[in-house]
Amino acid sequence: MTSPWLVPRWPVAYAPAPGAVKPINSAGGLLFLAILITLIMTVVAAFLVKLFLDGTEDPDRGQILFVVAFGLWIIPTSWAYYFKERKAARLRKGLERHLNLLRAARESRTGSNAEP
């Protein structure tokens, strides 16, 4: 019987668990977040315009400046993360196809399906 401390440890790739919820760091999850953040900040911008046009209250300029600066930062950042992950997903898919072609070419040269 081998000791559990002597078993070599290396990363194991697990298949994704079946379910309706995809990981949030996938391209689809980041797209959902980018759209959600854009919609929320659009509603906030509409409330700010209403606040200025209404004129019944004296708005706090510091809070308004913070909200505008945050909106101008978070919206492009969320979309940039989405586009970066989408490009990475396409590259991973292309790499997988390329590796499959290389494996098929190697197998056709050797004439067997066994891995060396």
Side-chain angles (χ1 to χ4, degrees):
M1 181 171 162
T2 60
S3 172
W5 292 283
L6 298 177
V7 176
R9 297 179 187 196
W10 49 75
V12 178
Y14 294 104
V21 179
K22 293 183 76 172
I24 202 68
N25 60 347
S26 68
L30 290 174
L31 175 64
F32 170 74
L33 284 179
I35 291 172
L36 183 68
I37 288 170
T38 303
L39 289 176
I40 289 172
M41 292 310 292
T42 303
V43 169
V44 168
F47 281 130
L48 287 176
V49 168
K50 181 184 175 292
L51 178 70
F52 280 120
L53 293 180
D54 192 15
T56 57
E57 296 180 24
D58 186 29
D60 183 9
R61 304 271 185 213
Q63 288 180 349
I64 292 173
L65 181 64
F66 175 77
V67 168
V68 169
F70 182 74
L72 290 175
W73 170 76
I74 194 72
I75 292 174
T77 302
S78 64
W79 284 101
Y81 278 131
Y82 162 67
F83 287 124
K84 192 178 294 185
E85 177 58 32
R86 188 180 72 170
K87 182 178 180 180
R90 281 195 321 228
L91 288 174
R92 283 191 296 267
K93 190 181 291 184
L95 178 63
E96 182 180 327
R97 278 193 224 123
H98 183 68
L99 289 176
N100 288 338
L101 287 174
L102 288 175
R103 285 185 190 119
R106 184 178 58 206
E107 289 172 0
S108 67
R109 273 187 285 142
T110 60
S112 67
N113 291 335
E115 288 290 323

